[in-house]
Amino acid sequence: SKEESDAFTNYTNIIKLRRGMSVASTVVHNNNNNTNSTTSSLLHSMLPMILPVIRKVVCRRLIEAGIVLYYEDAVPNDSFKENMSEEDLPLQPIQLNVRDITVVKTQDLLKDMYETYPNFGWPGKEDNNNGEEDIEELMLFNKMVVFDLIDVDLTLSLGAGYELLVPVQKFGMKVDLEIGYGGKIDRGSVRFCGPSLRVWYVTDTRKLYISFMKKPNIIPNFNVNADRGNGDFAFMDFTEESSTLDDVVERVLCDFGPGLRGPQDSSSTTKNTNKSTTAAAVNNDRVPPEGRTIE
């Protein structure tokens, strides 16, 4: 109802104000009035509180990795503080719209894990001794909570003046790629749109896992500068209209979802299950032949 919707909006705004956030900075929509699940409603109400935490965790990892620039100057990798102001964080408040959140039933999860996509690296199957009964027990005692975000629209944006530094070594030459603002781009950003994003939370390990259950659509909006140490010598804007980078990124992200690779994507990987892929780089581990979740 409209009254319930208004009450939910007021509640999330109060939470944001208490955390020093701009009320308009984080958007969460729920347009499904038929959601009767108490757990789903609870997850909806928690998102405005979870997103600022995720933002800080990501900012911390970026800064400590030493890959953040602020107007061309490196941000010290020991400069992150838990009480940093909003303006000092390199990542802007996360913008998230979801149409609905559905809790995944145990039988549906087991079917995906052991029947439909048995070779995907599902959370809970890292220990080869874990069988269906072990997963059922985790779900039964709420030691693992699994839910799907339906019709996800997620935007990650860098703050004004911020760039991410990506070193590249090729043909004996080291080049730093600076990703962010420049050219016609004031602030670098990337937008992820997807019909289904699955999230796991394991209470014992306090780990969060994410997987694309259907292929996402990526919309880039950032500039890339190339620097050999003597200043920028090349730059290019990457947007939805100006490049095919989104197609490349979408294929990379298929490593993080079951059954998303096309025949050409999967054939080269399944020939050698130990082959290093993008998923291995992100998770720092071996990758099952059909990919794995983001941890």
Side-chain angles (χ1 to χ4, degrees):
S1 68
K2 184 178 184 304
E3 291 77 10
E4 291 173 331
S5 177
D6 291 342
F8 176 75
T9 302
N10 291 335
Y11 167 75
T12 55
N13 287 345
I14 290 171
I15 293 296
K16 294 171 191 175
L17 291 172
R18 286 180 177 174
R19 291 177 171 267
M21 298 170 56
S22 167
V23 168
S25 62
T26 303
V27 182
V28 181
H29 287 166
N30 175 17
N31 297 323
N32 186 349
N33 293 325
N34 296 320
T35 301
N36 296 319
S37 169
T38 302
T39 306
S40 295
S41 300
L42 177 62
L43 292 171
H44 270 289
S45 66
M46 290 175 62
L47 277 176
M49 295 178 282
I50 294 173
L51 291 178
V53 176
I54 295 176
R55 177 193 177 197
K56 279 202 170 184
V57 169
V58 173
C59 288
R60 179 173 192 159
R61 290 188 177 182
L62 293 174
I63 291 174
E64 291 181 347
I67 62 172
V68 179
L69 302 178
Y70 184 62
Y71 288 112
E72 301 292 334
D73 293 329
V75 175
N77 60 5
D78 59 352
S79 61
F80 180 85
K81 301 292 186 295
E82 289 294 341
N83 59 351
M84 289 178 72
S85 66
E86 292 276 309
E87 294 75 17
D88 291 334
L89 293 174
L91 189 67
Q92 291 289 289
I94 298 172
Q95 306 289 324
L96 175 65
N97 295 313
V98 294
R99 179 174 63 82
D100 194 14
I101 301 177
T102 61
V103 178
V104 179
K105 297 179 180 179
T106 302
Q107 59 267 34
D108 294 335
L109 181 64
L110 293 176
K111 183 178 180 180
D112 286 341
M113 293 176 66
Y114 293 96
E115 296 180 28
T116 310
Y117 306 109
N119 293 321
F120 185 72
W122 298 100
K125 288 183 70 175
E126 298 92 342
D127 184 350
N128 292 328
N129 294 322
N130 278 354
E132 295 187 38
E133 297 81 6
D134 301 290
I135 301 299
E136 284 183 295
E137 182 177 344
L138 289 173
M139 299 284 283
L140 178 63
F141 294 101
N142 290 324
K143 292 184 177 181
M144 182 167 69
V145 181
V146 186
F147 53 93
D148 288 338
L149 304 180
I150 308 301
D151 291 343
V152 178
D153 188 342
L154 171 69
T155 300
L156 302 176
S157 304
L158 292 171
Y162 282 101
E163 295 175 290
L164 299 181
L165 184 67
V166 180
V168 176
Q169 186 85 23
K170 197 163 187 177
F171 304 117
M173 181 183 299
K174 179 179 178 296
V175 177
D176 289 334
L177 300 182
E178 300 169 357
I179 303 172
Y181 74 98
K184 298 180 180 179
I185 309 297
D186 293 328
R187 300 187 183 194
S189 67
V190 60
R191 182 180 174 190
F192 301 82
C193 300
S196 181
L197 184 69
R198 181 162 294 180
V199 179
W200 292 256
Y201 181 69
V202 181
T203 57
D204 287 347
T205 60
R206 300 179 66 183
K207 286 185 177 181
L208 189 75
Y209 302 85
I210 299 174
S211 175
F212 298 95
M213 298 305 291
K214 295 183 180 178
K215 188 175 181 180
N217 178 33
I218 309 300
I219 304 173
N221 184 57
F222 52 79
N223 177 274
V224 176
N225 297 312
D227 187 348
R228 286 199 294 250
N230 298 316
D232 300 339
F233 68 90
F235 69 89
M236 180 180 293
D237 289 342
F238 289 90
T239 64
E240 186 177 23
E241 293 79 19
S242 66
S243 76
T244 58
L245 179 69
D246 51 336
D247 296 327
V248 176
V249 175
E250 285 166 14
R251 292 187 63 182
V252 169
L253 291 179
C254 286
D255 275 340
F256 304 109
L260 298 185
R261 294 175 182 163
Q264 292 181 342
D265 298 325
S266 59
S267 59
S268 61
T269 306
T270 53
K271 289 179 182 178
N272 184 355
T273 58
N274 294 329
K275 185 176 181 180
S276 175
T277 66
T278 305
V282 173
N283 289 292
N284 193 28
D285 201 354
R286 290 177 58 186
V287 179
E290 290 184 8
R292 67 178 306 167
T293 57
I294 301 172
E295 181 181 327

